[in-house]
């Protein structure tokens, strides 16, 4: 880790630690030149023919594993068709086509000219590495046939009956395909061109259906439903989606699996791997360490309506050294990158030093650091380390080295205290030189610690660039983000209503002893970023303690005539904020910095400095008063 230096004095009440993530110390994959080659052709797998290649490829991998040597599986240029392995499950308890377990020193190498692995079961994960070490996957394109979603053109919309009719394309699966009966979540979205931005808009309204009935030909009638158990969409979805006859539409039977899974592994390098379709997540690094994804791309195949049904990279419970570099993301049904750990939900309190936790997608090991949060207010109750754990019939028993008093048990996230394992909260991680193009959801969602997000390009229709959030009870991702640097990025506005960089929580202020919500997000640096043609704030921070916002530029190349109804930077319920050398070159924006009423008073809350001129400020901590004229760049802050 390398320390960075402060360039400004911070209020004494605020201590901010800045780190830059350095992955140079991460071990490198084994040298492929010394590995023994195993050609899939030697086991009967030949590209571009009608013969299923799955059994031959699995036999090749098994032989390489049995050799006990460093090995590389060699594919030729062309397309291989791979069925799901019989009775083989892994990540998310889903079927898997190629499962590689308990293996060290193995590479799967496609041809530089282009190798495509086409998977024929749209209800199964494609490739999963489980409990492996020193793994490489390179020069591979992953696709599905049939595609793992239903898609077509909207023919009619009936708002009174809450239905719409969809004509499926000739190469789409129908709604009676087994993919829908095996799915863990089912909903859809409208996909249409955005004339103003020249991009494609994916949703974002999730459209659910309680009934799907066949009509004549390839036409189906979908009757809307309200959200239920993850199987439905948003309320009033037809109106909110703006669906019109002629719109393109996709309905996705999601699984909890992925195109590439990395579970409980160490030292994995994924390079030049493209995902053209996936029934769930694209890349899923999970409970692993030392993982690199370099020159990987999630994108729709030629003429396709979407790419993956879910996230681009979903990094859960990572234990350090995650590098995402020169990757791109387009057309997914959800977030591009999500880095987080899962909530450890308290099911029973045996003592202040021992609990029973609800089994879920987390792990604990002796020495891991845990942070406990109140289930209602989300206030932190204390920290401890793991002395030991064991699986019991009632859940996972976890013993603490130091007691935490006052923990409350319940039936689930909504009525229980929760803990997060800070030792598997993603960091250190680096996201560098990536491109975030049109897709549904957020570009980067972080509920983790110790990361650097630098030199990326964002073009998100909804506005989300980097989103820090904490507190929801549906996914219960955490812990609150801290020790992050967001630097040198370009955020291109495409009309979305969400901030390019945002922090927010769902804490209940009235339930705290002070009536003020806690500041969850700590030690942030936001510097040298460019924000272009935005339709919403560049930065909106809610619940932050300790942030340096320096040398950022907000520009509008061709702004509309009307005045913006948002500030360039909006702050609420925060403290220890330093803003320096903010450049706002957007005539629409009349307030550069909006300081909310619940920001800490004086310079303990916000300090603003500039080597040229101060920004225009509206400070709601004081008696209401209009900002000085923008041209004068005055301030109402005493």
């Amino acid at each position: 880790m390398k320390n960075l230096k402060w360039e400004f004095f911070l209020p004494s009440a605020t201590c901010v630690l800045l780190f830059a993530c350095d992955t140079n110390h991460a071990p490198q994959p084994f040298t492929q030149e010394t590995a023994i080659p195993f050609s899939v052709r030697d086991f009967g797998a030949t590209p571009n023919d009608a013969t299923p290649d799955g059994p031959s490829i699995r036999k090749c991998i098994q032989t390489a594993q049995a050799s006990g040597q460093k090995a590389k599986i060699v594919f030729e240029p062309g397309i291989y068709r791979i069925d799901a392995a019989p009775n083989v499950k892994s990540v998310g308890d889903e079927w898997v086509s190629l499962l590689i377990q308990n293996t060290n020193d193995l590479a799967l190498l496609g041809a530089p000219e282009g190798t495509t692995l086409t998977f024929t079961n749209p209800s199964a994960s494609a490739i999963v590495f489980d409990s492996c070490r020193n793994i490489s996957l390179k020069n591979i394109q992953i696709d599905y046939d049939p595609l793992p979603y239903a898609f077509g053109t909207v023919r009619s919309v009936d708002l009174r009956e809450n239905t719409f009719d969809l004509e499926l394309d000739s190469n789409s699966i129908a709604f009676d395909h087994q993919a829908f009966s095996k799915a863990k979540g089912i909903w859809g979205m409208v996909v249409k061109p955005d004339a103003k931005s020249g991009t494609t808009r994916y949703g974002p309204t999730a459209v659910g259906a309680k009934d799907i009935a066949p009509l004549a030909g390839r036409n189906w009638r979908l009757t809307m439903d309200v959200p239920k158990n993850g199987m439905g969409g948003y309320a009033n979805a037809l109106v909110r989606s703006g669906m019109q006859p002629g719109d393109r539409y996709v309905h996705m039977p999601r699984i909890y699996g992925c195109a590439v899974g990395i579970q409980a592994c160490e030292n994995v390098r994924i390079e030049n791997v493209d995902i053209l379709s996936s029934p769930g997540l694209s890349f899923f690094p999970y409970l692993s360490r030392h993982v690199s994804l370099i020159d990987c791309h999630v994108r729709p195949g030629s003429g396709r309506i979407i790419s993956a049904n879910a996230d681009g990279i979903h990094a859960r419970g990572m234990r350090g050294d995650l590098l995402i570099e020169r990757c791109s993301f387009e057309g997914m049904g959800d977030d591009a990158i999500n880095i987080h750990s899962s909530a450890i939900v308290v099911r029973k309190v045996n003592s202040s030093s021992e609990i029973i936790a609800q089994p879920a997608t987390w792990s604990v090991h002796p020495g891991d650091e845990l942070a406990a949060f109140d289930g209602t207010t989300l206030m932190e109750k204390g920290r401890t380390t793991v002395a030991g754990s064991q699986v019991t019939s009632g859940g996972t028993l976890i013993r603490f080295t130091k007691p935490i008093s006052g923990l409350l048990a319940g039936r689930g996230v909504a009525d229980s205290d929760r803990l997060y394992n800070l030792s598997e909260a993603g960091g250190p991680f680096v996201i560098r030189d990536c491109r975030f193009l049109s897709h549904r959801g957020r570009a980067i969602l972080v509920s983790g610690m110790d990361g650097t997000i630098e030199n990326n390009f964002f073009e998100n229709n909804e506005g989300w660039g980097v989103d820090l959030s904490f507190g929801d009870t549906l996914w219960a991702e955490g812990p609150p983000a801290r020790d992050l640097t967001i630097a040198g990025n370009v955020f291109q506005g495409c009309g979305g209503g969400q901030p390019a960089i945002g922090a927010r929580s769902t804490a209940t202020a009235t339930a705290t002893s002070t009536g003020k919500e806690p500041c969850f997000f700590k030690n942030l640096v936001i510097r040298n970023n460019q924000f272009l043609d935005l339709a919403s704030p560049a930065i909106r921070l809610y619940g932050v303690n300790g942030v340096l916002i320096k040398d950022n530029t907000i520009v509008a190349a061709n702004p509309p005539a009307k005045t913006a109804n948002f500030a360039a930077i909006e702050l609420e319920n925060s403290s220890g904020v330093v803003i320096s050398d903010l450049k706002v070159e957007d005539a629409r924006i009349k307030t550069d910095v909006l300081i909310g009423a619940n920001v800490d008073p004086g310079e303990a809350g916000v300090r603003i400095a500039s080597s040229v001129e101060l920004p225009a400020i509206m400070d709601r901590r004081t008696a209401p008063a209009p900002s000085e004229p923008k041209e004068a760049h005055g301030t109402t802050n005493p």
Side-chain angles (χ1 to χ4, degrees):
M1 304 299 295
K2 297 181 291 189
N3 289 322
L4 297 179
K5 295 181 179 179
W6 275 109
E7 298 185 37
F8 294 91
F9 171 78
L10 289 181
S12 59
T14 303
C15 179
V16 181
L17 301 178
L18 304 182
F19 296 99
C21 186
D22 179 8
T23 59
N24 293 329
H25 65 283
Q28 298 300 308
F30 66 96
T31 303
Q32 297 169 6
E33 288 74 13
T34 64
I36 299 174
F38 290 81
S39 172
V40 296
R41 177 178 284 275
D42 293 341
F43 294 83
T46 56
N48 305 323
D49 63 8
T51 304
D53 298 302
S56 298
I57 293 172
R58 286 189 282 269
K59 181 62 176 176
C60 180
I61 293 172
Q62 291 163 3
T63 303
Q65 291 171 313
S67 74
Q69 303 293 315
K70 296 179 179 180
K72 53 186 176 184
I73 309 301
V74 181
F75 295 87
E76 299 174 11
I79 300 173
Y80 296 85
R81 295 182 63 83
I82 303 172
D83 57 337
N87 301 317
V88 175
K89 291 186 176 183
S90 184
V91 171
D93 195 32
E94 300 285 2
W95 300 107
V96 182
S97 295
L98 292 179
L99 176 61
I100 301 172
Q101 284 182 304
N102 303 312
T103 300
N104 297 337
D105 304 321
L106 180 69
L108 273 64
L109 304 178
E113 301 90 333
T115 296
T116 298
L117 305 184
T118 298
F119 294 86
T120 59
N121 186 338
S123 298
S125 293
I127 304 172
V128 174
F129 300 98
D130 187 352
S131 304
C132 298
R133 182 182 175 89
N134 299 337
I135 297 295
S136 290
L137 179 67
K138 186 175 182 180
N139 297 336
I140 297 288
Q141 187 169 264
I142 292 177
D143 203 358
Y144 278 78
D145 183 19
L147 293 170
Y149 46 80
F151 60 99
T153 302
V154 175
R155 295 306 180 194
S156 65
V157 179
D158 189 330
L159 296 179
R160 172 173 290 187
E161 296 297 326
N162 210 23
T163 66
F164 71 96
D165 292 352
L166 179 70
E167 182 180 2
L168 297 177
D169 285 9
S170 60
N171 57 335
S172 169
I173 59 173
F175 288 105
D176 53 6
H177 192 279
Q178 65 174 3
F180 285 94
S181 62
K182 294 183 177 181
K184 301 292 175 48
I186 304 173
W187 52 270
M189 61 183 176
V190 174
V191 180
K192 64 172 65 178
D194 188 317
K196 290 184 178 180
S197 64
T199 61
T200 301
R201 185 169 295 275
Y202 294 87
T205 299
V207 178
K210 67 180 180 182
D211 183 67
I212 303 177
L215 304 174
R218 294 187 59 79
N219 291 276
W220 296 75
R221 178 162 295 164
L222 285 76
T223 302
M224 298 302 93
D225 195 7
V226 296
K228 179 189 292 184
N229 300 326
M231 302 296 284
Y234 296 169
N236 200 23
L238 281 188
V239 174
R240 293 173 64 181
S241 69
M243 184 187 296
Q244 298 292 328
D247 284 347
R248 299 288 284 165
Y249 179 85
V250 58
H251 211 69
M252 300 169 290
R254 282 188 178 186
I255 66 170
Y256 289 162
C258 52
V260 177
I262 305 164
Q263 176 173 283
C265 294
E266 184 171 356
N267 197 21
V268 177
R269 183 182 180 93
I270 311 296
E271 185 175 4
N272 194 27
V273 173
D274 289 4
I275 309 298
L276 305 187
S277 59
S278 172
L281 306 169
S282 301
F283 298 97
F284 185 23
Y286 170 46
L287 301 178
S288 298
R289 70 173 75 238
H290 303 315
V291 174
S292 299
L293 295 106
I294 301 173
D295 291 313
C296 294
H297 308 281
V298 183
R299 58 183 177 84
S302 178
R304 306 276 181 83
I305 191 167
I306 64 169
S307 55
N309 288 3
D311 296 359
I313 298 175
H314 191 92
R316 179 187 301 160
M318 293 294 294
R319 289 180 169 263
D321 294 311
L322 172 65
L323 173 63
I324 302 171
E325 188 170 42
R326 298 193 304 274
C327 298
S328 66
F329 306 88
E330 183 177 10
M332 300 85 62
D334 220 323
D335 307 323
I337 297 176
N338 185 345
I339 298 175
H340 70 277
S341 186
S342 298
I344 302 173
V345 178
V346 180
R347 176 175 285 179
K348 181 181 178 183
V349 179
N350 293 338
S351 71
S352 59
S353 297
E354 185 177 287
I355 64 168
I356 302 291
Q358 179 176 304
T361 55
W362 46 264
S363 68
V364 291
H365 302 288
D368 284 353
E369 184 181 8
L370 305 179
F373 295 87
D374 185 282
T376 302
T377 67
L378 300 179
M379 292 286 289
E380 187 172 325
K381 287 189 168 183
R383 296 194 181 190
T384 187
T385 55
V386 176
S389 66
Q390 66 185 77
V391 177
T392 71
S393 59
T396 301
L397 183 147
I398 304 175
R399 295 186 302 276
F400 305 152
T401 59
K402 183 175 71 173
I404 299 178
S405 61
L407 288 176
L408 300 177
R411 294 170 296 178
V413 177
D415 62 354
S416 307
D417 286 348
R418 63 177 86 168
L419 293 85
Y420 289 97
N421 188 345
L422 304 185
S423 300
E424 60 173 37
F429 67 86
V430 173
I431 303 171
R432 176 192 296 141
D433 296 328
C434 295
R435 293 179 61 83
F436 299 88
L437 305 176
S438 300
H439 62 90
R440 181 182 177 275
R442 294 149 292 198
I444 301 176
L445 173 61
V446 179
S447 299
M449 306 187 305
D450 193 6
T452 299
I453 300 169
E454 63 183 5
N455 302 332
N456 303 287
F457 175 79
F458 297 83
E459 185 184 70
N460 189 313
N461 294 99
E462 297 177 55
W464 302 110
V466 180
D467 182 37
L468 316 179
S469 65
F470 177 64
D472 79 277
T473 57
L474 178 60
W475 301 110
E477 296 169 350
R482 62 181 300 163
D483 302 327
L484 302 181
T485 295
I486 305 169
N489 303 286
V490 175
F491 299 86
Q492 175 63 60
C494 293
Q498 300 299 333
I501 299 174
R504 59 201 170 92
S505 73
T506 59
T508 305
T510 56
T512 68
S513 58
T514 63
K516 183 178 184 298
E517 298 180 34
C519 292
F520 295 108
F521 312 103
K522 300 179 180 180
N523 306 341
L524 310 180
V525 177
I526 304 172
R527 65 187 304 164
N528 295 323
N529 300 287
Q530 295 184 54
F531 304 88
L532 311 177
D533 300 318
L534 297 184
S536 54
I539 301 169
R540 178 186 289 154
L541 303 180
Y542 193 110
V544 173
N545 179 15
V547 55
L548 171 64
I549 303 174
K550 179 176 175 10
D551 290 329
N552 295 285
T553 302
I554 295 96
V555 177
N558 297 293
K562 64 180 182 179
T563 299
N565 60 357
F566 57 87
I569 297 176
E570 298 181 357
L571 307 170
E572 186 59 89
N573 189 51
S574 295
S575 64
V577 180
V578 174
I579 301 175
S580 172
D581 293 321
L582 175 66
K583 301 174 184 176
V584 180
E585 300 172 358
D586 186 336
R588 301 170 302 158
I589 298 177
K590 302 306 179 184
T591 301
D592 296 339
V593 180
L594 174 61
I595 303 173
N598 290 326
V599 173
D600 281 5
E603 290 195 351
V606 184
R607 179 184 176 188
I608 299 178
S610 176
S611 60
V612 183
E613 58 182 352
L614 290 174
I617 302 167
M618 179 178 290
D619 192 342
R620 290 179 174 168
R621 298 174 298 178
T622 60
S627 297
E628 295 292 329
K630 179 65 180 288
E631 292 72 20
H633 272 77
T635 175
T636 61
N637 193 18

